[in-house]
Each structure stands twice: as C-alpha cells, then as structure tokens.
Amino acid sequence: MKLNSGLVSFLLLALPVLAIAQASKPVQAPSPPRPAALISPEVHADGSVTFRFRAPNAKEVKVEVEGAEAVPLQQNDQGVWSGTTTPLRPDYYGYSFVADGVRLIDPSNALLKPNLLATENAVHVPGPPSLPWELNDVPHGEVHHHFYKSAVAGDDRDYYVYTPAGYDPSAQRTYPVLYLLHGFSDDASGWTAVGRANVILDNLIAQGKAKPMIVVMPLGYGTMEMIRVGWDAWSHPQLRKQNFDKFREALLREVMPRAESEYRITKDRNARAIAGLSMGGSESLLTGLNNLDKFAWIGAFSSGGIPES
C-alpha cells in the first residue's frame, strides 16, 4: 500500500509539470515533401544516355562526357535539367556536370571514377560479351587491398593485388607477376575501379589469351607533393625527379618484398613484368630499364613526364 500511494503522489506532482512542458513546446511545421528521385544516367537501347540534374537556381548546366561532345541541358518547371547524348559505343565513360561554370558530380549515380584531382562519375554503355571489360560468366579472381607505412615516402599508403581464379595460398604452385602502374592523378585503385583490370584478366585467362598471373598495383607517387602541387607539378624538375626516384625506391624496397613474401609469386626475372600508363609508363621505363636483373618484361603506354636529359 505504501508503494502504491507513493506512486500516486509522484504522478500527481509530475503530470502537471509534463503538461506545462508539452504546452510550451514549439509547434513544428511539417517537413516539406522530398523531391522524387532522379534516374541519372539512363542508358537507352541505342547507346544514347540521358542525364538529369536538379538545380532550380542554376542559369546554365551542361554535361561533359569523356570522348564525346558536351551536351547542353534543358530545365523543366521542377528545376530539373536534362539532356541526351548521341548514341555512344559500348564502353565506360567518365562524366561530370558543369553548372554555371562549377564542375559537379552526379548525386543520383553511385558509380564514381576515383581521382585525386578531379573525381567524376562513370556510366556504362553495355556491349557484347566479347568486349574484354564486360563481366562474363567465367571464373573470377580476387582483388586484395593492403596498407603499410612507407619509410621511403614517409607516409601511409596502399596497394592492390589481383590473384587469378583458383589461386591457393597454401599450394606449391607459383605465378608470374605484373607490376601495373597507374597514371598521374589516379590512386592505387585506378586499375580496378576505373580500368576494370581484374575483369579483363578474368576474361583473358578464361579464353586462354593470358596465363594466370598475379598483378600488383601500387600507389604510383614517390612523394604526394605531386598531388598537392596539382597539374602544375610537371613544371617543377626537382619535384618530378624526386617523385620518380622515390617511387622506384618504394617499389623495389617496400612493395615488391611485401608482395613476394605474402603471395605465391615466382621470384625470377623471367616471370616478372612491369608496365604502366602515362606517369606509370615513365615509371615502368625508369624502373624496369635500370633494373634489368629484376624485370624481363617492360611495357609503357602514353608515357609522360620523362625529362629530356
């Protein structure tokens, strides 16, 4: 009885206080309805692509698509801008919106093209299974992501490793290795996130056009000052030289020993290749040709940034 009477006394005291607090609570206006989700990009059967972008206060919006003409967008009465490209060949295309001169990503598209200086979105115009970058019903390898502290560069960095379908770390079989280097402004994920290297390798290996191999894709900068300086970095000869020299040292002293101790890689120059695109092409030449005891195969594509002397 005492417990019940105490509870009654508490409620008699508390209820008026709660009522006053509720009465003094400000009335909140109802939240405005959320605008309908946009479908962007929308790929059509003929390979054309419609882009949509909500920007009711913008005066001019266009979409710039990699390898195609920029498309001016038109605004409707809901503030949505839209436009359609001419038919595009099957491929992956980077793109970005430009609203009143400001470059922006597409908030309706989760597919990004990572870049340390200019991230964009990507759109896939699908093609036949014969295209090497199309995902097919073949055995798939795996992509592994590693992190380490670089004593050479003085920072924390990463690298990716592709292992082919059927790779067994406990087996005795070893594999040839390709060190694959990205271009300037890309990061270590460039070859998989943008270049779809793992998908291409899966297809080529399944077709018997490539031998099963391990691919190591490191961060391609000897110093991240290259990125902090931006596109003007290549006009600084000392910075450019430091970048090439330190990258070569980090690859030979840190990445290669780590990868070749963690994976079943054949430790023989005849089973070791290095190749790269743009800045990575130059690094492949400078690293590979100066270390012929380590690399029997060297590939360089659209190489850039090598000094003339």
Side-chain angles (χ1 to χ4, degrees):
M1 292 295 295
K2 289 183 178 179
L3 182 60
N4 289 338
S5 60
L7 178 60
V8 170
S9 299
F10 171 78
L11 291 175
L12 289 173
L13 291 171
L15 288 175
V17 175
L18 290 173
I20 294 171
Q22 187 67 27
S24 63
K25 185 177 180 180
V27 178
Q28 294 184 344
S31 301
R34 289 190 176 186
L38 297 180
I39 298 175
S40 179
E42 182 180 2
V43 181
H44 305 290
D46 66 350
S48 62
V49 182
T50 297
F51 296 94
R52 298 180 178 90
F53 185 67
R54 182 176 282 107
N57 298 319
K59 301 295 187 292
E60 180 183 41
V61 179
K62 62 181 178 179
V63 61
E64 293 187 347
V65 182
E66 183 180 16
E69 294 289 333
V71 178
L73 305 187
Q74 303 300 318
Q75 188 183 32
N76 66 13
D77 56 4
Q78 274 82 51
V80 175
W81 297 77
S82 63
T84 302
T85 69
T86 58
L88 303 175
R89 296 175 59 184
D91 207 336
Y92 281 82
Y93 295 86
Y95 74 92
S96 55
F97 293 115
V98 181
D100 295 337
V102 179
R103 187 172 298 275
L104 303 164
I105 62 172
D106 186 347
S108 302
N109 183 7
L111 184 59
L112 293 175
K113 183 180 177 182
N115 191 279
L116 296 177
L117 294 179
T119 294
E120 297 179 311
N121 290 95
V123 57
H124 177 213
V125 178
S130 58
L131 292 175
W133 55 82
E134 293 293 333
L135 192 63
N136 288 309
D137 185 15
V138 298
H140 297 295
E142 295 185 10
V143 177
H144 315 262
H145 195 187
H146 296 268
F147 300 86
Y148 76 102
K149 177 76 173 180
S150 172
V152 173
D155 58 23
D156 294 296
R157 49 185 50 210
D158 61 343
Y159 61 93
Y160 289 78
V161 177
Y162 166 85
T163 53
Y167 174 81
D168 181 355
S170 64
Q172 294 300 309
R173 179 182 179 181
T174 61
Y175 294 80
V177 63
L178 167 62
Y179 290 90
L180 186 58
L181 313 181
H182 62 74
F184 182 68
S185 80
D186 287 327
D187 65 13
S189 73
W191 278 111
T192 51
V194 180
R196 296 178 66 79
N198 53 310
V199 176
I200 294 171
L201 282 162
D202 287 343
N203 289 331
L204 294 178
I205 292 170
Q207 295 164 12
K209 295 179 179 178
K211 292 182 178 181
M213 68 181 76
I214 291 173
V215 182
V216 180
M217 296 160 278
L219 184 68
Y221 306 98
T223 170
M224 295 309 294
E225 188 66 21
M226 290 288 290
I227 292 299
R228 286 187 283 271
V229 173
W231 299 110
D232 190 47
W234 298 102
S235 64
H236 298 270
Q238 287 302 116
L239 178 59
R240 178 176 58 187
K241 183 178 186 306
Q242 181 187 23
N243 183 63
F244 284 142
D245 290 348
K246 283 191 172 292
F247 169 77
R248 180 167 61 243
E249 186 180 358
L251 179 68
L252 297 175
R253 283 182 44 195
E254 296 178 335
V255 176
M256 285 177 57
R258 285 175 177 271
E260 297 189 7
S261 66
E262 294 169 345
Y263 293 90
R264 300 202 63 77
I265 291 173
T266 304
K267 298 176 178 63
D268 181 280
R269 70 175 293 274
N270 291 315
R272 192 183 290 126
I274 186 169
L277 171 71
S278 188
M279 178 185 73
S282 298
E283 290 170 339
S284 297
L285 293 173
L286 292 170
T287 302
L289 294 176
N290 286 293
N291 292 275
L292 292 175
D293 60 320
K294 295 180 174 61
F295 300 98
W297 312 94
I298 301 168
F301 307 94
S302 301
S303 302
I306 295 180
E308 295 179 0
S309 59

